[in-house]
Amino acid sequence: MLSGIGGVLLLSVLAGLSGVALQLVQPVLWAGWVDATLLTASVLTAWPFLRGDRARWACALWALALLMAGAASTSERARERLAQRLPADLEGQELLVQGRVRGLPQAGPEGQMFGFEVEQAWRLDAAAWARGRAQPGQALALPALVRLSWPEPTSAADPMGGGRAVPRAGESWRLPVRLRQPHGLANPGGFDAELWLFEQGIGAVGTVRGTLPGQAQRIEAPRFWHPMEWLDHLRQRWRDHILQFSPSPQAAGLLAALAVGDQGAIGERDWDLYRRTGVAHLVSISGSHITLFAALAILLVARVWRLSPALCLRVPSPVAGRWGGLGLALLYALLAGWGVPAQRTVWMLGGAVLLRSLGAPWPGWALCAVAAAGTVAVDPWALLQPGFWLSFLAVLMLLGMGEGQAVAADSEVDREGAVWHRLWQALRVQLMISFGLAPLSLVLFGQVSLVGLPANLLAVPWVTWVVTPLALLGALWPPLWQLAAWAIVPLQSWLDWLGGWPLAAWSAPAAGAWAIGLAVLGGFLLSLPLPWRVRALSVPLCLPLLMAPVHRPPPGRFELWAADVGQGSAVLIRTAHHLLIHDAGPRYGEDSDAGRKVLVPLLQTLGERQIDELTLSHRDTDHVGGAQALIDALPVVRLRASLAPGHPLLAQVADTRLCEAGQQWTWDGVDFRVLHPFHLARADEASNTQSCVIQVRDAQGHRALLTGDVELAQEATLVQRWGDSLRSEVLVVPHHGSHTSSGEAFLAAVAPHVAVMQLGYRNRFGHPHPEIWDRYIQQGITVVRTDYCGAWVWNGDGASCTRNVRRHYWQWMPEKPAPVAGAVVATPLQVGERE
């Protein structure tokens, strides 16, 4: 199988993919001359093989040439994308853009989000804009693709804004906007928004500024000679119909994902459920859906083709059926959004149809290799998508299992009957796939579902044979969408029941690359048709990943994590055996918050399995927005809060205490002391004035001060009450650097070496205030900004920024990069925009 052309094919694919992977792990792009040198060397190195020499040394040089070409070509494509990013001097400026809506707009409580292909751009004429008119001024060159939000809320009765003049897929618009460079949160274990924006080719993000009539103008409808514009327009019409007439939001989101490949309507809570039960792979147009559609399309086209004897004389009906089915499958994949599973399936179907037509059938692994190479050739950054690895590894496992099961099939059918045999085979395949992909799922998602087998046993056939066909046929007869939505209800109930089990999912701390590689090899080995004594080796191969050590501070020391939660606050204090979380970050939307998106993945990465104390400094949503998600995700032993009686969060934890100065306790040789407030919280007082302030002190005298949003008056009271005992090496800056806090007397009393500002990039409040920023700089205090640094960790001996430790060339970086080891040194002030 691996000799001759098969061996050359496999060697070529592995070499090319390795070259692309080598480039993707680079922290910064190579210089242009390096790419040119590699491309030239690849041509020279490949010449003996291209000339016809098939000796081993020539094949080795061929592989080396493909590796160099893959790395250099990917580097050049990355350079072109980075050149498309918005210049820093245009951030926050009033601009006017004209172009077309790309893809399907997503709607929610905050308005609509949509891609926008920029055709023309100008600075807004300042005089006309002051009079409420959007007129072009100086012409500009902007990135070809930007992502915009229309910050106008939608109504519950009109979830897609169908009754308002808002952009729809394929339409041309002229919009006043304010843009910024692509920037996302940076935390261990968190979603890499900057990578996603880079993969999509998005060079800027921003908001539509037009709120008065005539400021935002619709130019024209989708152009009929651009099929993709009309295709997206049609997809949006179908999606909107599903969302408006489905019986529940859960059913609507799942049906929209299955019918048109739009996953934007699925809420965060539903995504958590699908991941927890191991069925997230079904919540998209997967390879099995497209394969089923292609099989049905092949039968239909062949049957229609046989109705015409003349056509059959020209092209045999089986050939016409295969090519017609492939064309319809390609159309379906485009309707589904052309994700990695869809690409892989279309590539493999296309290869199989072509080779069958040529009379040269290839083995399944060869088609899989060609499909992987084709997918990466079109989009090199597909290698960084979890769907790529899960999709192709699952196919390889199925191919491996199929070879071992083919011989025994007939005898088992004779003994047990075809029906029971097929049921047993399906169960065995699902079992092997579940266990085989478990290590990779644990690596990619930070958790693995322990109820995935029973969940998939029902979900896979139900979604594949009932929900998906109804979703597809609904495009021809819309009432079938209602029937499909009803079919989702029992599936959702089944998943809710399984997801409610205490041990439905299991997580493990982050492990090293060698442990990950061994575990993935072990999972693949388990699925191969080998003797069980050989498959048993998968257990020791997976142990280093499953039993990865949890790195914690030694007794008497603590570790501080200032999470990057945007405009909000969340600080983790870890001791040898305990965890305290001070504030839980902001709420981003109706179904999204820092607890679910940032803190839970971070805790899973660190190996934390319970929260010994959750402290909520005050009631503002940028500090308590993620609290409920934390309580739902992990056991919380104790809640300490500066909240007024009757607040709903106070009833969520059995051991709940109201924060008051003088409270203190010790964990593992580390002392915790509450310094503020001096009386219990009351509903009639301003929330900031009641902030719960905690000082942490270890056995060596290292101290950190967690301040919430205390203001100048409370700072003065703290100085008067505690005096020199406020002194701390690390200060979490009060109120995110607002001008209402960080008084001179307070900073003199605390005398911090490092001040941590937790704030959002170019936030609408203008934090940090220029006067406060200058005050810290003038006093010689090192300033850490989480919007520049990402999550910041400090243990008394040193500090590091996530953006430095996990640096990639697609990441946003400040113009003056932070030191590799240590905190972010103060950089020239860039005040956030004001609304």
Side-chain angles (χ1 to χ4, degrees), residues 241-469:
H241 183 92
I242 292 171
L243 295 183
Q244 288 181 345
F245 296 104
S246 292
S248 69
Q250 292 80 10
L254 182 56
L255 187 55
L258 294 174
V260 296
D262 179 30
Q263 302 174 10
I266 299 177
E268 289 291 337
R269 295 182 184 274
D270 292 325
W271 273 120
D272 288 344
L273 175 66
Y274 299 146
R275 284 189 287 263
R276 188 172 174 82
T277 53
V279 300
H281 63 98
L282 291 174
V283 188
S284 61
I285 305 298
S286 66
S288 61
H289 301 148
I290 295 178
T291 303
L292 170 64
F293 179 86
L296 296 176
I298 289 172
L299 294 176
L300 178 62
V301 172
R303 182 176 293 274
V304 172
W305 197 266
R306 283 195 293 269
L307 297 177
S308 173
L311 291 177
C312 290
L313 290 176
R314 289 178 174 271
V315 179
S317 61
V319 175
R322 287 194 292 268
W323 285 103
L326 175 63
L328 292 175
L330 174 61
L331 179 61
Y332 178 37
L334 292 173
L335 280 171
W338 196 240
V340 170
Q343 294 177 39
R344 182 260 302 164
T345 306
V346 171
W347 279 99
M348 293 189 69
L349 288 173
V353 170
L354 176 62
L355 293 171
R356 182 71 177 271
S357 299
L358 296 176
W362 284 11
W365 68 264
L367 289 175
C368 190
V370 171
T375 301
V376 174
V378 174
D379 179 14
W381 297 277
L383 276 178
L384 298 172
Q385 298 180 21
F388 178 91
W389 297 100
L390 291 173
S391 178
F392 281 102
L393 187 58
V395 171
L396 290 176
M397 287 181 177
L398 290 172
L399 291 172
M401 286 185 285
E403 293 178 1
Q405 295 168 3
V407 176
D410 292 337
S411 60
E412 292 190 20
V413 169
D414 293 338
R415 289 196 309 268
E416 304 174 14
V419 175
W420 290 108
H421 168 69
R422 289 173 181 172
L423 288 175
W424 165 244
Q425 289 294 88
L427 176 61
R428 184 163 65 172
V429 167
Q430 187 60 59
L431 185 65
M432 291 296 100
I433 289 293
S434 297
F435 281 105
L437 293 180
L440 188 59
S441 299
L442 185 60
V443 171
L444 295 174
F445 303 116
Q447 65 179 15
V448 61
S449 174
L450 301 183
V451 297
L453 180 60
N456 280 280
L457 283 177
L458 176 63
V460 169
W462 190 254
V463 170
T464 302
W465 295 104
V466 179
V467 178
T468 300

Side-chain angles (χ1 to χ4, degrees), residues 101 103 105 112 160-162 166-171 173 233 236-237 240:
V101 179
Q112 291 207 359
M160 293 311 303
V166 294
R168 301 181 67 82
E171 294 179 342
W173 281 75
H233 200 73
Q236 184 174 356
R237 287 183 59 187
D240 294 355

